[in-house]
Amino acid sequence: MEFLLFCGFIILAVLVFDSRKNISLLRTQIENLQHGLENATRNDDLAAATDRVAQPAPAIIRAKRSEPVERVAVPLTDDPIPEPVAIEAAAEISTSEPSAPAISASKRFEDLIGGKLPIWIGGVALVFAGFFLVRFSIEAGLFGPAARCFTAALFGLLLIGLAEFGNRIPRLGTIFTDDIRIGHSIAGAGIAVLYATLYMASELYGLFGLTTSLAGVIVVTLLAFILSQKHGPPTAIMGLLGGFAAPYVTGLGPESVAPLVIYLGVFTAGLFGLAIHRGWAWLALLATGGSVIWTSALLFMDIAKDASIVGLFIMLLAIGGVLTLSRTDQNYGWPKAAMRSIPLVAGLVQLIMLAPLIEFSPISWLFFTVLAVFAIALGWRDEEMTPAAAGALGLAFAMVGAALSDHGPDHRDLLPAIGFAVLFGFAGHVFVLRAKSGRMWGFIGLAAPAGMLILTALFGRFGWSENIWGAVCFVVAVTAAIMAWRTRLAVPSLIMPIASAITAILLVAALWLWTPDRLAALIPVAAAFGLAVWARHCDNQTVAREAFAAAMLGALIAAILSVEMISTLFVSLAGETDLYSHLPAVGPMILELLIPSLALVALAGIFGGTLGKRCSAAIAASGLTGTGTFAYLLLKQILAIGPIDQFFQYGFAERAIFTHLLALAGWLLLRRSWRAEWTTTMTNLGWALAGIALFRFVYFDLMLLSPTSVYQAVGPAPLANLATLHYSGAAIWLWLFARTGPVGDSASKWVRPLEIGSLLATVAAVLVTVRQAVHGTNMATVMIAAGDPGDLMSIDRFGYTTTETYLYSASLLLLAIAWLARGIQTSSALLRIAGLLLLTLVTFKVFLIDAAQLEGVLRILSFLGLGIALIGIGWIYGKIMRRDAKTAGEPAVA
């Protein structure tokens, strides 16, 4: 039943093909008729126009039109038409008959279903009638073997004779002349019956030897070839169906694999010859498909002893199918390369299916290698067939992967992997410089060795040492480097950058396997240097981006190796005081962090122009970040603050020094004039350092670990203590940053916030100075316990005395006056406004807080002194404002 369905599908495909051909013929005829009508219309229009121009006598025109005339070719020029020619052209009248109306879709469908299908199905029925008649005779024992074969052959010859001479039979001949498809169908059925008869006589009964059987198949094939010259595709189709169906109808056993393969080979070769002679690409495809169906069926049988001949047939079928299709001109709208590659792909896939059945024996690799070489040869002869070589490489990957994963470690599987890597790699290197297909050959040459290396690493399980794997990676990297060198001068394409990237990746892998783990960050950085040199030599931006990627990979590995530094950062943000115990040792960090970071900085400095501004800036930032992190590690070694009592003693001093060093470095970078190519990088770095310093001051010294909230020794001197110096230094840095050149030039919007921040830091410095003067070195409201670990915090709150609150008011009042005076002196509106705001706040504090703690004469004197001071300040400030307004020519404010 399945075979009948397959035959029906083949017949339907042929019907569709024939219908498309008929429809195309009808369309051409209709277009020709329409073209004739248009010519007639143009001739009538030309005659009318000539009548108007020449004005000939009516009698002459009638006489001219009454006489038969020949068509006159009118020249297509812009010159005036001569009068005789115009008269002859006007006299020409089209006598063509009206064209027939176009055939409707319903009419075509009716013709197909009612006229064509019955004829073709009838022919197939005749074929099966002959087959099953023979089978019935076999099962019933009606005839002997020779009589059965003779009867079947006679039936086939009778069908062929009827197709050839049926039109001469009295009374029945009109059937063949009315519809030529009847003869086509019967001829094809006769050919199919003859094929079946030959197979039955040779394989089932042994009436013929191998030589006689092959000669008979050749004779029938030639007969089909001759008949197809007259009867066309239907005869060839019937012959094809009969030839492929003969073994199935007569019964197939595993013991007859070799003769069946020989029969299929000769039969398919005949079909290929017919396809070449008639230019029928469809016949070559159907012949290939029929043989593939048979060989696929054989692969699911016990054919171990005949595997070699099946593999040989598969190989020859693939080669013959490709060569046959290359000799035909039809492609049915498919790309030529795809059309011709169908047999090759089918053969390679079937060889992959065959190989496990014979345990990937050398013969299976030989057959596959032959097809691979054939695919490369196709690409060499015809550049449009290069995709066939790429497809063969992909299937070679599948073959090798299946072999490596099929069983345990077997070094015999290495030879095919190496062989295909060399075969396709060499072909890719040889043809990479071709004009049209060079890019694809380049991909093939790069993918072959790299892909085989990956498959071996994933599925090989050979247990090699790291040194051996490193050597393999190095060898493959050399092949990719050769490809990059050969394509360096070619038309810009992706081959050279891809080859460079593969070279770098494999060299990194090799060095990674050969060197200790502590050098892991240095290896990608070294590769980045090599890629940068290569990018500068070739002037290729893609390779420059690869260098950037390698550099950033090195930075990432360095960060991973110094993960303890990152964990220290997070615990410090959480308020941890014992940071020293979280830090790594200095020695390993030299190789894992410092040297790679310095190398990144050098890379950005040397190849800044090649890498580009953004890439070089990112590389420099990564290197400087790593260098700064190592510098932080070194600085933490000086005091080695671990226990809490050491934090009480030195914690604030160490933190203040770090903050001011960062601010100093940032200020020096922003203040200095750099070369044009370094200006942006150094300015950004300066701002980054300044931002880190500001963050440390705000987050740690004002919020998380402020000396006024958490106990830290700041020193006994009221004015020379660390708190006063640190907060005053922060105010000075902010003021200096606000007046640094790059700020005013490119970041003017940050000037005012920095100045305001400096004023706020000054207020904080005054407050912390008063706090220290009253309470001494320990001015915290909360003290971290240094005793029992279970007692994490012990509260020691210092109250605010009247003296302390008055000192705050007095100090802030003096600061406000200083700001006002300085603002008046320098005409700085910011300082004057800040002084007035601070003065207002201090006034409210005095009235609402300080005065509430005094009584009697002290309260009176305080209010009196404050009032006089405020009046005097107001009088002086108003006088200054009126003077400034007069100088500017503005009306004075009352």
Side-chain angles (χ1 to χ4, degrees):
M1 184 65 184
E2 293 81 358
F3 179 74
L4 293 178
L5 292 176
F6 170 73
C7 292
F9 174 76
I10 296 298
I11 292 171
L12 181 60
V14 176
L15 292 177
V16 172
F17 171 78
D18 189 67
S19 300
R20 289 180 58 190
K21 182 178 180 181
N22 292 334
I23 292 172
S24 177
L25 180 60
L26 290 173
R27 184 182 294 110
T28 303
Q29 293 176 353
I30 292 172
E31 290 176 353
N32 291 335
L33 292 174
Q34 291 177 347
H35 182 67
L37 289 176
E38 292 174 357
N39 288 338
T41 304
R42 284 197 298 268
N43 290 335
D44 292 340
D45 295 340
L46 181 59
T50 308
D51 288 342
R52 291 192 298 269
V53 175
Q55 296 294 334
I60 296 176
I61 296 178
R62 286 195 298 269
K64 287 283 187 180
R65 293 182 179 176
S66 63
E67 298 175 1
V69 295
E70 296 180 355
R71 297 185 179 271
V72 179
V74 181
L76 300 178
T77 62
D78 294 333
D79 300 329
I81 300 176
E83 183 176 347
V85 177
I87 294 175
E88 292 292 336
E92 181 182 357
I93 300 175
S94 175
T95 59
S96 60
E97 298 179 357
S99 60
I103 301 176
S104 63
S106 61
K107 179 62 177 177
R108 289 196 299 269
F109 178 78
E110 181 181 0
D111 177 67
L112 174 65
I113 300 300
K116 296 180 180 180
L117 279 182
I119 296 174
W120 288 328
I121 295 175
V124 176
L126 290 176
V127 175
F128 281 98
F131 288 163
F132 289 112
L133 178 62
V134 174
R135 191 163 197 171
F136 173 76
S137 68
I138 294 172
E139 295 173 354
L142 299 178
F143 301 104
R148 296 167 190 168
C149 295
F150 177 77
T151 303
L154 185 61
F155 179 67
L157 293 174
L158 179 62
L159 292 177
I160 295 174
L162 186 62
E164 287 294 311
F165 308 106
N167 59 340
R168 301 180 183 180
I169 300 175
R171 297 183 182 181
L172 297 178
T174 56
I175 297 176
F176 293 90
T177 56
D178 289 342
D179 195 331
I180 60 174
R181 289 188 297 270
I182 297 176
H184 296 172
S185 176
I186 295 176
I191 292 297
V193 171
L194 290 180
Y195 278 123
T197 302
L198 282 172
Y199 181 79
M200 178 178 61
S202 61
E203 293 301 319
L204 295 182
Y205 304 130
L207 299 177
F208 299 149
L210 179 60
T211 304
T212 306
S213 300
L214 291 178
V217 172
I218 294 173
V219 170
V220 175
T221 302
L222 291 175
L223 180 60
F225 174 81
I226 295 171
L227 291 176
S228 65
Q229 304 301 310
K230 175 181 177 181
H231 297 286
T235 303
I237 287 291
M238 290 302 178
L240 181 142
L241 290 176
F244 282 120
Y248 175 80
V249 175
T250 55
L252 174 67
E255 69 281 356
S256 58
V257 171
L260 173 61
V261 170
I262 295 174
Y263 165 76
L264 290 175
V266 176
F267 176 62
T268 306
L271 293 176
F272 283 166
L274 179 59
I276 293 173
H277 179 75
R278 296 300 299 271
W280 289 339
W282 58 268
L283 183 60
L285 289 175
L286 290 179
T288 303
S291 298
V292 167
I293 291 174
W294 269 112
T295 51
S296 299
L298 291 175
L299 293 177
F300 291 98
M301 300 178 183
D302 185 14
I303 59 168
K305 65 179 183 302
D306 298 313
S308 298
I309 190 172
V310 174
L312 178 63
F313 174 73
I314 292 173
M315 181 188 71
L316 295 177
L317 175 66
I319 296 175
V322 173
L323 295 179
T324 301
L325 289 173
S326 64
R327 298 292 299 272
T328 61
D329 296 330
Q330 297 173 321
N331 58 8
Y332 308 113
W334 289 22
K336 183 173 68 173
M339 185 79 173
R340 297 180 182 177
S341 300
I342 292 175
L344 179 62
V345 173
L348 291 171
V349 171
Q350 286 194 305
L351 288 179
I352 294 175
M353 297 170 59
L354 176 67
L357 301 178
I358 53 178
E359 298 181 350
F360 295 95
S361 63
I363 193 67
S364 65
W365 292 112
L366 176 62
F367 291 149
F368 197 96
T369 303
V370 171
L371 286 188
V373 173
F374 177 69
I376 294 174
L378 287 177
W380 167 62
R381 290 292 301 274
D382 186 356
E383 292 195 52
E384 294 185 4
M385 291 299 295
T386 306
L393 175 60
L395 294 174
F397 286 148
M399 184 84 163
V400 172
L404 292 174
S405 60
D406 183 62
H407 42 74
D410 189 353
H411 286 79
R412 291 179 301 176
D413 296 331
L414 279 177
L415 183 59
I418 297 173
F420 287 130
V422 173
L423 175 64
F424 286 98
F426 180 77
H429 281 72
V430 170
F431 303 131
V432 69
L433 298 180
R434 282 190 166 188
K436 295 182 179 179
S437 59
R439 175 178 296 183
M440 185 168 292
W441 281 114
F443 285 128
I444 292 173
L446 291 173
M452 293 301 172
L453 171 60
I454 294 173
L455 288 175
T456 305
L458 292 178
F459 304 112
R461 298 168 300 192
F462 294 119
W464 292 343
S465 65
E466 291 185 348
N467 290 333
I468 295 178
W469 280 113
V472 174
C473 292
F474 179 79
V475 171
V476 178
V478 170
T479 65
I482 294 173
M483 178 72 75
W485 178 260
R486 294 191 70 235
T487 57
R488 70 191 187 281
L489 300 179
V491 177
S493 65
L494 293 176
I495 298 300
M496 194 275 285
I498 291 177
S500 302
I502 293 176
T503 303
I505 292 172
L506 293 175
L507 286 178
V508 167
L511 293 174
W512 208 335
L513 293 170
W514 285 340
T515 56
D517 293 340
R518 60 178 178 272
L519 299 178
L522 269 174
I523 295 172
V525 178
F529 268 96
L531 288 171
V533 173
W534 181 239
R536 175 180 289 181
H537 175 76
C538 299
D539 192 19
N540 191 288
Q541 288 300 313
T542 304
V543 179
R545 297 188 187 97
E546 294 172 0
F548 169 73
M552 299 310 293
L553 175 63
L556 177 61
I557 295 175
I560 294 174
L561 293 177
S562 58
V563 66
E564 292 174 305
M565 298 295 298
I566 299 176
S567 64
T568 303
L569 170 65
F570 283 106
V571 298
S572 67
L573 294 176
E576 175 68 42
T577 59
D578 182 12
L579 301 181
Y580 183 76
S581 60
H582 295 276
L583 295 173
V586 176
M589 284 293 100
I590 295 176
L591 286 176
E592 296 174 3
L593 181 60
L594 178 61
I595 296 179
S597 299
L598 293 175
L600 289 174
V601 175
L603 176 66
I606 298 172
F607 298 99
T610 302
L611 298 173
K613 291 183 178 180
R614 293 184 178 180
C615 292
S616 60
I619 294 173
S622 300
L624 291 172
T625 300
T627 306
T629 302
F630 185 82
Y632 174 81
L633 175 64
L634 287 180
L635 292 175
K636 293 294 289 186
Q637 307 300 315
I638 298 175
L639 298 178
I641 299 175
I644 190 65
D645 54 346
Q646 292 183 344
F647 175 77
F648 292 158
Q649 190 70 24
Y650 306 112
F652 186 80
E654 185 185 64
R655 194 166 63 253
I657 292 173
F658 284 4
T659 300
H660 288 288
L661 287 177
L662 289 171
L664 176 62
W667 181 71
L668 291 175
L669 290 175
L670 292 174
R671 183 172 178 269
R672 181 178 174 180
S673 298
W674 302 94
R675 291 183 301 177
E677 61 270 20
W678 283 97
T679 300
T680 302
T681 301
M682 290 304 175
T683 301
N684 293 334
L685 179 61
W687 279 117
L689 296 177
I692 295 173
L694 178 61
F695 171 79
R696 288 176 55 86
F697 175 72
V698 174
Y699 184 77
F700 291 110
D701 300 324
L702 293 181
M703 298 170 57
L704 189 65
L705 297 176
S706 171
T708 60
S709 59
V710 177
Y711 171 54
Q712 297 156 90
V714 297
L719 294 177
N721 64 84
L722 290 175
T724 300
L725 295 176
H726 180 42
Y727 284 69
S728 300
I732 294 173
W733 283 125
L734 289 170
W735 195 262
L736 289 175
F737 280 121
R739 276 151 179 75
T740 304
V743 178
D745 297 338
S746 58
S748 58
K749 61 181 179 180
W750 294 104
V751 173
R752 190 63 68 195
L754 288 173
E755 292 177 343
I756 295 174
S758 175
L759 297 178
L760 294 176
T762 303
V763 172
V766 170
L767 295 178
V768 78
T769 301
V770 173
R771 180 73 178 175
Q772 194 280 339
V774 174
H775 299 287
T777 188
N778 182 10
M779 56 182 180
T781 57
V782 177
M783 183 173 66
I784 302 177
D788 186 4
D791 183 16
L792 297 179
M793 304 288 289
S794 64
I795 306 301
D796 182 12
R797 300 189 180 276
F798 299 96
Y800 292 94
T801 63
T802 303
T803 304
E804 184 177 354
T805 58
Y806 263 88
L807 286 175
Y808 285 140
S809 301
S811 301
L812 293 176
L813 180 61
L814 292 175
L815 179 61
I817 294 172
W819 282 352
L820 284 171
R822 183 60 180 172
I824 293 170
Q825 180 183 3
T826 60
S827 300
S828 173
L830 176 63
L831 289 176
R832 295 199 302 263
I833 294 173
L836 289 175
L837 288 175
L838 183 60
L839 182 62
T840 303
L841 292 175
V842 172
T843 301
F844 277 105
K845 177 182 179 298
V846 171
F847 275 102
L848 298 178
I849 299 175
D850 299 344
Q853 300 177 9
L854 300 176
E855 297 180 356
V857 177
L858 291 177
R859 177 181 296 179
I860 296 172
L861 291 176
S862 64
F863 277 99
L864 181 61
L866 181 61
I868 294 172
L870 291 176
I871 292 172
I873 292 172
W875 175 76
I876 296 173
Y877 192 78
K879 185 176 180 180
I880 298 300
M881 292 297 294
R882 288 191 295 271
R883 184 193 65 187
D884 293 342
K886 184 178 181 181
T887 303
E890 300 174 354
V893 180

